[in-house]
Amino acid sequence: MNIATKNITIQNEIFTLTNQRALFWEKEKALIFSDLHIGKTAHFRKNGIALASHIMKNDLERLSILIEYFQPQKFIIVGDLLHAGDNSDVDKFCDWKSQYPEIKFCLVEGNHDKISKKLEKKLCLDLRSDSLEIDDIAFVHDFDKSNSKFQITGHIHPGFVINSPVKRIKLPCFAQTPKQLLLPAFSEFTGLDTRNIPKKGSYFVFTDSEIYEI
């Protein structure tokens, strides 16, 4: 797996975008991502739709490689860690997570994170909250117009359309405006929304090997 990076500035802080759908904040030693949707494949299988189990495995392998590359001290998960409550995929995630007891797991809850007290204990989260603020930056799952702080968000699963002479290509992206950084969905088993992304800003589109600013 190739890791391409690009540094951007947010509130006078340096953040590192990656083509692996995650963001790294060196000052906080934090790996930041959203929309992992653990349990989505198991949920589909339970409802009669046959999906390969390697989908989630690939997502977790990418996370392991990012951990090795950045050596983070904490994760900030900006919503939708889970997809449909507790299921067999959550057990597999907890087994994977147990390899990294030194990493603090901070979850900013998303609309899919329906977590009972029993499930919260099983996940062994260090922090669970509707929002998280560090310095002048707020982490929320979906953009909050009532919050004046710069926000790092998820939820939208942003994509950007590139029209080439050969075909129309849709790629995942980060979207940055003066008030927001919208993260791509970390899980590759998600659609791409090209309509509801911020209309004015910078778009950081990525492939398996590069990040391009548009």
Side-chain angles (χ1 to χ4, degrees), residues 11 78 108 129-153 177-181:
Q11 302 296 86
V78 194
V108 176
S129 177
D130 292 334
S131 64
L132 173 66
E133 294 188 0
I134 301 176
D135 297 338
D136 292 325
I137 298 171
F139 297 86
V140 293
H141 184 54
D142 196 9
F143 186 74
D144 181 3
K145 293 180 180 178
S146 67
N147 191 332
S148 61
K149 288 183 178 288
F150 186 94
Q151 297 175 48
I152 294 179
T153 69
T177 73
K179 295 184 177 181
Q180 177 187 16
L181 177 67

Side-chain angles (χ1 to χ4, degrees), residues 14-25:
I14 301 297
F15 287 78
T16 302
L17 308 178
T18 78
N19 65 331
Q20 299 302 327
R21 300 173 178 246
L23 177 74
F24 185 66
W25 187 2

Side-chain angles (χ1 to χ4, degrees), residues 170-188:
K170 188 188 291 186
L171 294 170
C173 71
F174 296 83
Q176 184 182 13
T177 73
K179 295 184 177 181
Q180 177 187 16
L181 177 67
L182 173 60
L183 305 180
F186 188 84
S187 177
E188 293 182 342

Side-chain angles (χ1 to χ4, degrees), residues 40 92 108 122 146 169 180:
K40 188 173 183 178
K92 294 173 185 175
V108 176
K122 179 178 178 179
S146 67
I169 304 169
Q180 177 187 16

Side-chain angles (χ1 to χ4, degrees), residues 12-13 43 66 74 86 101 116 126-127 130 168:
N12 297 315
E13 296 281 348
H43 176 71
L66 287 166
K74 62 184 167 186
D86 198 359
S116 65
D126 295 285
L127 174 70
D130 292 334
R168 188 171 180 264

Side-chain angles (χ1 to χ4, degrees), residues 159-171 192-195:
F160 193 90
V161 173
I162 297 175
N163 292 305
S164 75
V166 179
K167 64 179 180 178
R168 188 171 180 264
I169 304 169
K170 188 188 291 186
L171 294 170
L192 296 177
D193 188 340
T194 61
R195 295 185 177 183

